[in-house]
Amino acid sequence: LTEPTRDEVDQIMGPVVLEFGASWCPHCEAIQSTMAELRSRYTTIRHIPVEDGRGRRLGRSFRVKLWPTLIFLRDGRVIHELVRPSATEMARGFEMLHSGGHE
């Protein structure tokens, strides 16, 4: 799975959640059940998991420092960002993106 470029991400229309993390990251694993539940509830929101790490340009372009980091975008614009989010924060982020609201 090749990660999209920043240009490609910037051109995606509609609501998108980028999930930056690593397969071996316990914090990333911890949010997966909540993520699965939210993805099934908000089926119109596109979810793009991104395996992040040293030298990965997409993560650097969003200044990702800790995992997991969720970037909520609408039509290529960042409207919200969560770092190591709680289930409540994740639910709020998805609802905000779904309803078209902004931070």
Side-chain angles (χ1 to χ4, degrees), residues 73-94:
L73 302 118
R74 175 176 301 286
D75 301 334
R77 287 195 331 266
V78 175
I79 65 165
H80 195 55
E81 187 175 326
L82 294 172
V83 178
R84 294 208 176 152
S86 68
T88 303
E89 290 171 326
M90 288 171 66
R92 267 201 307 265
F94 269 81

Side-chain angles (χ1 to χ4, degrees), residues 6 17-18 20 59 61-66 68-73 77-85 89-90 93 96 102-103:
R6 180 62 189 259
V17 176
L18 293 178
F20 289 93
S61 76
F62 285 103
R63 296 192 283 289
V64 172
K65 300 231 185 323
L66 292 172
T69 293
L70 304 181
I71 308 284
F72 296 82
L73 302 118
R77 287 195 331 266
V78 175
I79 65 165
H80 195 55
E81 187 175 326
L82 294 172
V83 178
R84 294 208 176 152
E89 290 171 326
M90 288 171 66
M96 179 193 310
H102 285 68
E103 196 171 16

Side-chain angles (χ1 to χ4, degrees), residues 6-46:
R6 180 62 189 259
D7 281 347
E8 288 168 342
V9 168
D10 289 345
Q11 291 173 37
I12 298 172
M13 290 293 103
V16 177
V17 176
L18 293 178
E19 177 188 351
F20 289 93
S23 55
W24 49 265
C25 163
H27 299 285
C28 302
E29 190 57 37
I31 70 164
Q32 290 313 305
S33 63
T34 301
M35 182 59 83
E37 180 189 320
L38 290 167
R39 287 176 57 201
S40 68
R41 191 182 322 160
Y42 297 102
T43 55
T44 59
I45 296 176
R46 184 168 169 194

